[in-house]
Amino acid sequence: MASSPEIIGPESSEDWTIVLPRRGKKNRTVNKFVIPRRQKEVQVWTPIDLETDPDRESKLMQKLQISIQKLANSEFLLSLLHQIQNSDMLDKFRRVLGSEEKMQMVIYGIGSVESFEPPRLQLSLAILMKRSFDWIGEIEVFDPIISLTESKVLTSLGCTVLSVNEQGRRQALKPTLFFMPHCEADLYDNLLEANWGVDKLNRLIIFGNSFGAYEHHASLCNSSAVVDSRRHVLAVRSFTEEFKIITLSDDYFRAFHGSSWHFFSLDTATHLPIIG
């Protein structure tokens, strides 16, 4: 992270927007909140609510345990784990790991796991991946709408809830898997901008919205604002290997549709474009 970041107080909830993915003609709300591009400073963060109670925490833990068990017994999980264990993809994970034993996982934009099933399934997948692969290390989580109850339950499940809003600008100083299904394009762009260099890009993996889909959408759109919001996403496409996720069942469509693995393969002689 940049040294001595400026600290800003929390701003009005009007600065947040909701992402509404579509399937056919039906809107399916995923309740993801996104960070405006103009805010680049790290912000100290605490949950908006200051109270919780054991009964509420117990109910949420029960919901999450049900979600984890549901996903653990699904064909979707078996398919995804098989995809990771495929020799070609496993080699890519090993390349990112290099000489390190563990790859940390950073979850951005998870949404409210207390209120909605898609975020619970997404968190369940992250937890089950850590249980399945000993090379996945600590899990750090952040979303500005996380409640105190959610924060305590996430901690009980072995996750660390970040105390600062990094605006998606974590630098990959060590191998890092960024777990970001259904985040806004700006958040992916912030992450890429913070890691716009050969060494850092080679140390990160992104699980999230398809960059190929962003590129296709930009080719059909005449809006300069749309292109500007994802300029790093578009610029990195020629250095990206993308593997799509197969949802298999409508049970997991809302949580994972349009998601892909993204690996970046750059040699030391690669010259990344300068993006103003």
Side-chain angles (χ1 to χ4, degrees), residues 14-152:
E14 294 178 356
D15 283 334
W16 307 93
T17 58
I18 302 177
V19 181
L20 301 175
R22 297 175 180 269
R23 185 186 188 189
K25 296 182 179 179
K26 296 181 180 179
N27 289 345
R28 293 175 180 256
T29 305
V30 182
N31 301 283
K32 294 285 185 175
F33 288 71
V34 300
I35 298 170
R37 189 169 186 83
R38 68 178 180 275
Q39 296 181 6
K40 294 189 176 183
E41 300 87 352
V42 171
Q43 297 178 322
V44 171
W45 173 87
T46 55
I48 295 175
D49 60 329
L50 300 177
E51 295 183 358
T52 184
D53 62 77
D55 183 57
R56 184 178 169 189
E57 293 171 24
S58 176
K59 288 179 179 178
L60 176 55
M61 179 62 81
Q62 184 177 22
K63 283 183 179 180
L64 283 167
Q65 295 293 358
I66 290 171
S67 179
I68 290 170
Q69 190 62 41
K70 173 183 176 180
L71 191 61
N73 295 326
S74 70
E75 290 294 326
F76 169 73
L77 180 68
L78 289 176
S79 173
L80 186 136
L81 295 181
H82 179 73
Q83 182 186 39
I84 295 174
Q85 291 169 319
N86 174 277
S87 59
D88 183 44
M89 183 174 285
L90 197 56
D91 284 345
K92 299 183 189 308
F93 278 101
R94 287 170 176 160
R95 177 181 56 78
V96 175
L97 269 171
S99 60
E100 298 287 336
E101 293 185 358
K102 300 284 186 179
M103 179 182 300
Q104 66 177 347
M105 183 188 295
V106 177
I107 303 177
Y108 285 139
I110 191 65
S112 173
V113 295
E114 185 174 20
S115 301
F116 304 104
E117 184 181 36
R120 287 196 292 273
L121 288 170
Q122 291 165 0
L123 179 66
S124 297
L125 177 59
I127 290 170
L128 288 169
M129 285 174 56
K130 177 175 171 57
R131 292 178 183 177
S132 299
F133 301 108
D134 60 6
W135 44 266
I136 293 182
E138 298 302 312
I139 299 177
E140 296 180 311
V141 185
F142 184 79
D143 193 298
I145 67 167
I146 289 175
S147 67
L148 181 59
T149 298
E150 289 169 326
S151 180
K152 288 193 170 186

Side-chain angles (χ1 to χ4, degrees), residues 197-214:
V198 170
D199 290 344
K200 293 189 183 73
L201 286 174
N202 282 339
R203 283 195 291 263
L204 65 86
I205 299 166
I206 298 175
F207 179 92
N209 297 350
S210 167
F211 286 9
Y214 280 134

Side-chain angles (χ1 to χ4, degrees), residues 33 56 79 113 145 169 204 221 244 248 254 260 268:
F33 288 71
R56 184 178 169 189
S79 173
V113 295
I145 67 167
R169 297 179 181 277
L204 65 86
C221 181
K244 294 183 179 180
L248 295 175
R254 292 181 64 198
S260 294
T268 54

Side-chain angles (χ1 to χ4, degrees), residues 214-227 230:
Y214 280 134
E215 183 179 52
H216 178 68
H217 180 251
S219 70
L220 301 176
C221 181
N222 293 322
S223 169
S224 60
V226 168
V227 173
R230 56 199 67 176

Side-chain angles (χ1 to χ4, degrees), residues 83 89 207 210 212-213 242-247 258-261:
Q83 182 186 39
M89 183 174 285
F207 179 92
S210 167
E242 179 173 331
F243 298 85
K244 294 183 179 180
I245 302 302
I246 309 286
T247 55
S259 297
S260 294
W261 296 101

